[in-house]
Amino acid sequence: MHPDEVMAVLRETGVVREGHFRLTSGMHTDLFLLCSLVQQYPRHTERLAGALARFFAGQGVEVVVGTAMGGVILGYEVARALGARAIYAEKSGDGRMVLRRGFFVRPGERALVVEDALSTGGSVRKAMAAIQPYGPVVVGVGVLVDRSAGRVQLDVPVRALVTMDVGMWTPEECPLCRQGVPLVEPKELSGQA
């Protein structure tokens, strides 16, 4: 899929939000992508996941590790497209990510980590740390949208359907805070299209 096609799907499904938002990392931004909204439409998710899977076809991916919550559905669909197992890492009480629910990764198993949007890389790093003790071979990271314009380095190949350079600021540096624009917790939004 061409990035313009991906963005058209994201806009159509209400993913693209403009305003003043706090990211999971604590950083502030004027553009938020509520990617979970596209994942409520199986036909769109299947198409996006298929495009993402094509980046890693032929690399022998055996397990796809989604990040909870953004990579659970997407990771499942990417795994389906690759003929791999699908598992996910979820947050623990101390802020790390862990494998639960009987999920595991075999030593040497070829793993792909999947996330919906990459901003600072924090969630992906935590998911990679969750599987690292099992001894997999992480072949890469696949994301729908790389908001960092490729600046996040993860020591494995990162492939995105869309790469964009979105402004992010610490709360102290945020121009929107200085202008008095109300801050929104984007994951708290509901019922808005």
Side-chain angles (χ1 to χ4, degrees):
M1 287 180 78
H2 189 275
D4 290 342
E5 292 176 81
V6 174
M7 286 305 295
V9 169
L10 299 182
R11 284 190 186 93
E12 175 189 329
T13 56
V15 168
V16 181
R17 305 291 176 105
E18 294 181 14
H20 182 196
F21 305 100
R22 182 187 345 257
L23 300 171
T24 304
S25 65
M27 301 289 282
H28 291 198
T29 186
D30 58 357
L31 181 73
F32 189 78
L33 302 166
L34 198 54
C35 292
S36 55
L37 291 177
V38 73
Q39 294 181 60
Q40 66 185 323
Y41 300 102
R43 68 185 173 91
H44 290 311
T45 305
E46 179 182 25
R47 188 169 172 223
L48 295 169
L52 197 53
R54 281 191 283 285
F55 288 138
F56 299 96
Q59 294 191 28
V61 174
E62 298 169 285
V63 62
V64 175
V65 182
T67 59
M69 286 303 298
V72 175
I73 295 171
L74 182 63
Y76 179 87
E77 287 295 323
V78 170
R80 189 159 67 100
L82 290 171
R85 287 189 307 122
I87 65 174
Y88 57 88
E90 58 188 293
K91 292 180 183 175
S92 66
D94 61 5
R96 295 177 306 123
M97 282 196 180
V98 296
L99 295 185
R100 290 190 177 134
R101 305 170 200 279
F103 291 147
F104 63 92
V105 180
R106 293 178 191 92
E109 192 169 25
R110 298 180 65 76
L112 171 64
V113 177
V114 172
E115 174 68 297
D116 56 0
L118 181 70
S119 296
T120 64
S123 293
V124 170
R125 282 187 187 90
K126 288 177 183 180
M128 290 171 69
I131 63 172
Q132 186 274 330
Y134 295 90
V137 174
V138 179
V139 300
V141 172
V143 297
L144 289 181
V145 181
D146 178 354
R147 295 170 36 95
S148 80
R151 287 188 295 273
V152 172
Q153 298 298 306
L154 297 169
D155 299 325
V156 296
V158 177
R159 299 297 307 264
L161 295 182
V162 174
T163 300
M164 53 181 25
D165 192 3
V166 177
M168 289 186 290
W169 311 277
T170 64
E172 299 77 28
E173 299 171 329
C174 180
L176 301 169
C177 285
R178 285 196 294 272
Q179 295 169 18
V181 176
L183 183 64
V184 174
E185 298 286 344
K187 293 184 180 178
E188 301 298 320
L189 295 172
S190 66
Q192 300 174 5

